[in-house]
Amino acid sequence: MDAATPQQSRPRSMKVRCCIVGGGPAGMMLGYLLGRAGIDVVVLEKHADFFRDFRGDTVHPSTLQVMDELGLIDGFLKLPHQRLQKMDGLFGGTKVRIADLSRLNTKYPFIAFMPQWDFLNFLREAGKRFASLKVLMSTEAVDLIRRGDAIAGVRARTRDGIVDIEADLTVACDGRHSTVRERAGLAVEEIGAPMDVLWFRAGRSGDETENLFARVEPGKMMVTFDRGDYWQCAYVIAKGQYDAVRARGLQALLDDVVRMAPILERGIGDVRSFDDVKLLTVAINRLGRWTRPGLLCIGDAAHAMSPVGGVGVNLAVQDAVATANLLADKLTRGCPSDEELDAIRRRREFPVKMTQAMQVIVQNNIISGALKGGDQPLKVPLVLRLINALPWLQSIPARFIAIGVRPEHVHSTAVPAP
Ligand SMILES: Cc1cc2nc3c(=O)[nH]c(=O)nc-3n(C[C@H](O)[C@H](O)[C@H](O)COP(=O)(O)OP(=O)(O)OC[C@H]3O[C@@H](n4cnc5c(N)ncnc54)[C@H](O)[C@@H]3O)c2cc1C
């Protein structure tokens, strides 16, 4: 920082017990849980607000259960949202039920669709009652502070200049392009995905209803969600085909979309240019090692998920709950040992691997086949025919999507808050 600038009076360094980099679902939930446990914790978010379109907007029963255990569910469900219970798909014209959450023995048997910024703002507001929790917006971690072999915090860029934030423990929650894990030299294992996704919204009027969420035709696949005043649409393309889609032009894409989903005919006019279409480059990857001394990675920073099942947000939340359960008490005494930090990987790696394995099975057996196209009419895959024919089977994909493998429950300490 320039010594002559007006920022001179601002602190150039701060010291906390735990510094969380990234205010996404993993970071905001972990911040809330550690603040609730009375740990001196700061969450750094590089953006000025949480308002970013086309992020994961699906709050699954596992996350709703966590909100319930935190006593936050009533206020949370007062926020505007849509509920999804039954997932139906159209395969080459044949309708099949893929999952039915109403068959689950869970307190909240539905997926709540809610803009992610509402979820994050809610956690931020709820966390304000914990004096030991600070959320610093417009604060971007740009490098690590090292003490010998250990990570001892981060150097962050703020609107007022550079601030060094020393921390006993740094937690990387900065997403799939994590700066922190890259600076820490943690190696990412790429598993790969055969597709990318184009996201866009099309206007919806109140009389437009359709209980379909997936449509698959030879060479094409798309998903639509009723979001109240608009349809959220995900158009799946073969990996690396985005330039080819653009070269065909916007109208050709929109024509394909409306042919697959005629209900979008009126609202598709909202997509005026490719600026209204967001490319999600699908990745599945994970770290082999989630830690360095003084550093832990969780959420997408430790494992990027495929959009199959819409589970990324919920796995990030589960990681945060497990981290607080296993580390909150230890953090009252200082930085957990390497062994204690690695306990998070040992707890969460199995659910991550199982979920990614299921996503790869769906990608390789359903999505790749559909995207190959060809002249033959599309056959409904055997597994989906079975699920459709035997309704009790519909609870299996429902459970996988809604609750996941090894669900976490809140056990971390809560110190009395005013
Ligand atoms: C287009 C799209 C659609 C998706 N749809 C779904 C869906 O429907 N359902 C679902 O469950 N998942 C979905 N996902 C995935 C989901 O968004 C992620 O899995 C989930 O958000 C991961 O949470 P996270 O907290 O680990 O990371 P992120 O949500 O990526 O949050 C990381 C945060 O860190 C901040 N940050 C990054 N670098 C820094 C830095 N250096 N300093 C400070 N802050 C930093 C970012 O601004 C961000 O707020 C989607 C993802 C995309 C991109």
Side-chain angles (χ1 to χ4, degrees):
M1 197 187 302
D2 182 341
T5 61
Q7 293 92 34
Q8 199 174 21
S9 58
R10 291 184 179 268
R12 299 178 63 186
S13 66
M14 62 189 284
K15 190 163 181 4
V16 289
R17 183 53 53 91
C18 179
C19 174
I20 297 170
V21 179
M28 291 306 290
M29 179 56 81
L30 182 60
Y32 183 90
L33 289 164
L34 294 185
R36 176 176 172 271
I39 307 293
D40 182 21
V41 55
V42 64
V43 181
L44 314 182
E45 169 52 50
K46 69 177 177 182
H47 290 101
D49 54 37
F50 296 121
F51 189 83
R52 275 174 305 293
D53 217 345
F54 299 120
R55 296 176 51 143
D57 284 353
T58 49
V59 182
H60 288 206
S62 60
T63 301
L64 295 170
Q65 179 65 36
V66 167
M67 298 300 274
D68 182 274
E69 290 167 12
L70 291 171
L72 298 174
I73 192 72
D74 291 341
F76 184 65
L77 288 180
K78 285 198 182 104
L79 297 175
H81 64 277
Q82 295 79 41
R83 297 181 180 195
L84 180 74
Q85 269 199 324
K86 296 178 174 40
M87 298 182 177
D88 293 341
L90 203 58
F91 279 75
T94 308
K95 192 170 176 181
V96 287
R97 174 146 297 166
I98 301 162
D100 182 356
L101 274 65
S102 69
R103 295 178 167 276
L104 295 178
N105 181 18
T106 180
K107 200 164 173 188
Y108 303 97
F110 56 87
I111 292 173
F113 279 86
M114 180 185 292
Q116 198 182 101
W117 58 86
D118 281 351
F119 177 36
L120 299 177
N121 273 324
F122 182 88
L123 283 176
R124 186 183 180 195
E125 283 305 311
K128 283 185 177 166
R129 66 202 168 107
F130 304 130
S132 67
L133 166 63
K134 289 180 210 66
V135 178
L136 303 182
M137 305 302 285
S138 306
T139 304
E140 178 179 7
V142 289
D143 209 347
L144 297 173
I145 301 171
R146 294 167 195 272
R147 194 171 299 126
D149 287 342
I151 310 302
V154 300
R155 170 156 292 185
R157 183 165 43 220
T158 73
R159 284 179 176 158
D160 300 326
I162 295 294
V163 180
D164 282 346
I165 301 167
E166 288 180 52
D168 296 301
L169 175 64
T170 301
V171 185
C173 298
D174 50 345
R176 50 162 67 191
H177 304 295
S178 171
T179 301
V180 172
R181 87 177 172 202
E182 186 258 321
R183 291 284 193 279
L186 290 167
V188 182
E189 179 196 351
E190 291 294 340
I191 292 154
M195 78 279 197
D196 290 326
V197 178
L198 304 180
W199 285 89
F200 51 88
R201 357 166 124 195
R204 175 181 175 273
S205 58
D207 57 345
E208 290 173 356
T209 51
E210 194 167 53
N211 293 327
L212 272 181
F213 105 110
R215 296 169 175 79
V216 187
E217 288 181 10
K220 300 187 178 63
M221 177 168 179
M222 81 176 276
V223 176
T224 50
F225 302 108
D226 175 352
R227 300 300 305 273
D229 55 357
Y230 67 95
W231 295 98
Q232 187 174 345
C233 309
Y235 187 81
V236 183
I237 58 174
K239 179 137 268 351
Q241 286 304 300
Y242 181 59
D243 287 344
V245 171
R246 280 195 75 127
R248 282 180 66 220
L250 184 68
Q251 197 53 51
L253 169 66
L254 302 186
D255 288 348
D256 277 351
V257 164
V258 172
R259 213 175 34 72
M260 286 184 87
I263 198 153
L264 300 179
E265 184 163 15
R266 195 199 55 81
I268 201 73
D270 287 3
V271 184
R272 293 188 179 87
S273 74
F274 272 104
D275 291 343
D276 297 323
V277 179
K278 162 102 183 161
L279 170 69
L280 165 60
T281 307
V282 176
I284 303 188
N285 63 38
R286 56 182 177 245
L287 294 178
R289 183 174 169 182
W290 295 26
T291 57
R292 291 263 184 246
L295 173 70
L296 167 69
C297 300
I298 64 169
D300 271 22
H303 47 75
M305 310 302 291
S306 160
V308 170
V311 293
V313 167
N314 304 282
L315 256 87
V317 168
Q318 297 278 301
D319 282 4
V321 173
T323 302
N325 285 346
L326 290 163
L327 298 185
D329 285 349
K330 298 183 174 74
L331 275 167
T332 59
R333 298 187 286 276
C335 184
S337 68
D338 297 355
E339 180 71 8
E340 287 166 341
L341 289 181
D342 191 48
I344 313 306
R345 179 193 59 78
R346 295 195 301 273
R347 169 103 196 145
R348 296 297 306 152
E349 197 172 46
F350 177 69
V352 167
K353 284 185 168 174
M354 288 295 288
T355 310
Q356 290 182 331
M358 288 297 288
Q359 292 181 322
V360 168
I361 289 171
V362 173
Q363 287 179 172
N364 292 348
N365 292 286
I366 299 177
I367 299 176
S368 288
L371 290 179
K372 263 190 216 129
D375 300 332
Q376 298 300 315
L378 194 70
K379 281 203 190 125
V380 182
L382 176 65
V383 63
L384 294 184
R385 275 185 275 147
L386 280 173
I387 290 174
N388 189 51
L390 304 170
W392 58 271
L393 281 178
Q394 289 158 16
S395 61
I396 297 174
R399 194 185 154 80
F400 172 72
I401 292 168
I403 297 170
V405 178
R406 193 183 278 166
E408 303 290 347
H409 295 278
V410 177
H411 301 304
S412 48
T413 315
V415 296

